[in-house]
Amino acid sequence: MGQAKSRRRTCTTPPPRGQEIRGWIDLNLLPQELLVLILSWVPGRTLVTCGRLVCRQWRDLIDGPLLWKLQWERDPLKREALPAALEVARRCPRMEWARVGILQPFGRNLIKNPRGEEQFQHWQVGHGDGMCLGGNTCWISQLIDLVKEGLWEDLLDSFQPDIFISDWWGTHEKCGCTYNIYVLLLAADKNSVIARFVTEMDPTEEWNVPFQQASHVFRQYGPGVRYLRFQHIGNRPGVEHTEAHITNSTVLVKLSQ
């Protein structure tokens, strides 16, 4: 007699109601410390766009500091921004952790393409080609939406963090060009000027000013600031072209020490 063949029995009918096999785990049953650790491995944008909608507990965790601290401590690029964010949270009780966690507005240069590479990408250039003849003046400008970069209205109006700017300006001895920096803090209409910084050149030394670093801190500038315009303006007395120069333009937001 031969051995009977072994046959695998397959289930062709679903299990009775109430006996379904569950392939998921209710994460809310985990201790909160473990839940925070698990969620901290989820990409930040996914946490905000999807995770906050799961339940009130997840929303509160994502809106709080613990989860974002874990993410920043793992990422060397974000680790440096953690002290600044903690200082803001200490002074600003209404800290928007999810917003800060994704956009990282503190301690990050808000100027895009700060050296004017990539064919002046992100910059507006006078006459559109980087050089101009009209009025012997050339300008390069960048408008920064402070709210879009990660700040929020209540922070800008009530706490008014310092806005630090720096760059280089002066004259170009070989061609007689002068360069000046204009930085404006603007209201929501993008036109109303709330505060400004302008480099000033002594007329008696107009063509003998070596390039030097200019820096300024906007502090206690008042409510209503929503935009910052960073602009270089170059002038030349003759009819030759004036070239636009950018040398590591910087805009940083941080709190007063």
Side-chain angles (χ1 to χ4, degrees), residues 74-228:
R74 289 194 211 104
D75 189 340
L77 298 178
K78 297 180 180 179
R79 194 178 301 146
E80 296 180 358
L82 180 57
L86 293 176
E87 181 62 21
V88 173
R90 187 179 69 83
R91 303 192 196 183
C92 179
R94 297 177 294 276
M95 176 77 160
E96 296 191 13
W97 278 101
R99 187 180 190 85
V100 173
I102 294 177
L103 298 176
Q104 299 283 314
F106 304 111
R108 171 175 65 87
N109 188 0
L110 302 185
I111 290 283
K112 297 179 175 63
N113 190 13
R115 290 185 172 86
E117 301 165 337
E118 305 167 7
Q119 298 182 347
F120 292 107
Q121 185 178 1
H122 303 295
W123 292 88
Q124 292 179 309
V125 183
H127 291 257
D129 58 358
M131 311 177 81
C132 68
L133 285 172
N136 304 321
T137 300
C138 177
W139 56 266
I140 290 186
S141 178
Q142 187 168 149
L143 182 67
I144 299 175
D145 185 335
L146 296 173
V147 175
K148 187 177 179 179
E149 291 297 328
L151 305 175
W152 55 98
E153 289 85 351
D154 183 48
L155 179 74
L156 289 168
D157 293 342
S158 301
F159 296 90
Q160 298 174 26
D162 291 351
I163 301 176
F164 170 83
I165 67 101
S166 71
D167 212 325
W168 293 80
W169 69 288
T171 62
H172 198 302
E173 297 180 358
K174 293 183 179 180
C175 62
C177 296
T178 64
Y179 300 93
N180 286 283
I181 299 171
Y182 292 74
V183 184
L184 307 176
L185 298 186
L186 305 174
D189 62 5
K190 302 182 183 179
N191 292 313
S192 302
V193 178
I194 296 177
R196 74 179 70 219
F197 168 74
V198 181
T199 53
E200 297 182 358
M201 187 175 296
D202 187 342
T204 62
E205 300 180 353
E206 186 173 357
W207 305 111
N208 190 29
V209 177
F211 275 95
Q212 54 191 300
Q213 188 174 26
S215 63
H216 178 73
V217 180
F218 289 100
R219 183 172 292 157
Q220 298 299 317
Y221 36 79
V225 172
R226 297 295 181 267
Y227 294 89
L228 180 147

